């Protein structure tokens, strides 16, 4: 009987992990589609992202409910409790990443519904998006493998995305100063760039929760060097 209960418990945990990874894949798809719509001026691609935000929200609620049930029924301890607490935090970050993807899609719809696609800084925005999406994918992969070292590498990438964001802002300020006609478009680019900077922050959060699961230490708000040492510690 005890073995059966333990097996069911493991299956419940695995189902929650799988559902969270599905949520992560859905959110990544929304980001990719949203930025493609923004860069290419394809308004039709923005609509499914905007509509799909409801599904992301549903997944967050469903996972949170499943976590609550497993806490009540199983009263997990030690590493299992860390996993459950971390997953609860991660799904919140994924939901917020989904919100940023929806924001990008709405910007694509609003900017392009009048016709032309503004070209300034489209390539840097595309590069910024790839960094952010890569961070998200690698943070989820680190979770899937419970790889604290890989998670620390993702957290370290946050500095690179912040620098890319600052470089884009500097260029946009120059555009606006040189030609006031670019102000509206430049501000739209600022909002999209900021969305990706936030996505990078959420991906870093996910990576830090992976380290928490594996090492049992909350590494939020500590210097990067200390975070890397914690990830490498045996």
């Amino acid at each position: 009987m005890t073995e059966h209960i333990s097996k069911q418990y493991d299956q419940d945990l695995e189902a929650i992990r799988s559902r969270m990874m599905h949520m992560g894949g859905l959110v990544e798809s929304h980001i990719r589609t949203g930025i493609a719509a923004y860069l290419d001026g394809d308004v039709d691609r923005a609509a499914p992202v905007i509509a799909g935000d409801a599904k992301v929200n549903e997944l967050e609620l469903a996972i949170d409910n499943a976590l609550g049930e497993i806490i009540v029924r199983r009263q997990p301890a030690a590493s299992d409790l860390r996993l459950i607490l971390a997953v609860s935090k991660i799904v919140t970050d994924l939901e917020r990443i989904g919100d940023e993807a929806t924001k990008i899609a709405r910007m694509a719809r609003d900017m392009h519904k009048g016709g032309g696609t503004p070209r300034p800084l489209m390539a840097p925005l595309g590069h910024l998006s790839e960094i952010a999406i890569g961070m998200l994918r690698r943070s989820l992969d680190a979770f899937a493998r419970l790889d604290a070292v890989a998670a620390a590498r993702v957290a370290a990438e946050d500095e690179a995305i912040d620098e890319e964001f600052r470089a884009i802002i500097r260029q946009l300020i120059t555009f606006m100063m040189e030609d006031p006609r670019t102000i509206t478009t430049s501000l739209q680019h600022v909002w999209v760039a900021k969305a990706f900077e936030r996505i990078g922050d959420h991906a870093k959060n996910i990576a830090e929760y992976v380290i928490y699961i594996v090492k049992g230490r909350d590494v939020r708000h500590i210097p990067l060097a200390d975070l890397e040492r914690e990830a490498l510690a045996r």
Side-chain angles (χ1 to χ4, degrees):
M1 182 67 174
T2 303
E3 182 180 348
H4 172 74
I5 292 172
S6 177
K7 185 176 180 181
Q8 183 60 50
Y9 178 42
D10 290 341
Q11 288 174 347
D12 290 345
L13 285 176
E14 183 56 35
I16 290 171
R17 282 194 292 261
S18 296
R19 193 179 288 186
M20 194 208 82
M21 293 298 290
H22 170 66
M23 182 180 180
L26 180 61
V27 165
E28 180 183 341
S29 173
H30 283 183
I31 302 168
R32 287 194 179 279
T33 305
I35 188 59
Y38 189 84
L39 296 177
D40 300 339
D42 187 347
V43 181
D44 292 338
R45 298 181 72 177
V49 177
I50 297 167
D53 189 52
K55 178 60 176 177
V56 174
N57 294 340
E58 287 173 11
L59 281 168
E60 180 193 22
L61 292 174
I63 294 168
D64 277 344
N65 287 336
L67 291 170
E69 288 176 9
I70 206 169
I71 289 171
V72 170
R73 287 189 288 110
R74 307 297 187 185
Q75 297 181 345
S79 61
D80 285 344
L81 182 59
R82 289 204 306 272
L83 172 66
I84 288 167
L85 292 174
V87 168
S88 179
K89 298 283 191 180
I90 290 170
V91 294
T92 298
D93 277 294
L94 289 175
E95 190 277 331
R96 288 175 180 167
I97 290 172
D99 287 344
E100 297 299 335
T102 303
K103 186 187 302 178
I104 293 164
R106 285 199 178 108
M107 291 295 300
R109 179 194 62 191
D110 295 344
M111 184 171 70
H112 296 297
K113 64 185 178 184
T117 302
R119 302 316 308 168
L121 280 189
M122 287 306 207
L125 281 173
H127 183 240
L128 182 66
S129 73
E130 286 301 323
I131 297 174
I133 292 167
M135 285 180 68
L136 173 61
R137 190 188 315 114
R138 285 187 288 277
S139 67
L140 290 171
D141 182 63
F143 171 84
R145 296 184 289 112
L146 292 181
D147 187 336
V149 174
R153 292 195 198 103
V154 174
E157 290 182 63
D158 190 53
E159 291 183 2
I161 202 168
D162 287 347
E163 181 52 42
E164 289 278 341
F165 172 70
R166 287 191 291 266
I168 287 174
I169 297 303
R170 287 193 295 269
Q171 287 179 280
L172 289 170
I173 289 171
T174 300
F175 283 141
M176 288 187 283
M177 290 176 65
E178 291 178 349
D179 185 355
R181 292 173 298 177
T182 66
I183 289 175
T184 299
T185 297
S186 293
L187 288 176
Q188 289 169 328
H189 289 346
V190 168
W191 294 326
V192 171
K194 185 61 180 176
F196 281 110
E197 190 264 342
R198 286 175 178 150
I199 289 169
D201 287 343
H202 291 303
K204 179 187 177 187
N205 290 346
I206 294 170
E208 290 172 343
Y209 293 132
V210 173
I211 297 171
Y212 168 69
I213 294 168
V214 177
K215 299 296 182 177
R217 186 185 170 198
D218 190 340
V219 294
R220 293 174 296 174
H221 314 305
I222 70 172
L224 179 60
D226 293 344
L227 184 150
E228 290 173 336
R229 277 195 294 271
E230 186 67 32
L232 290 167
R234 294 188 181 277

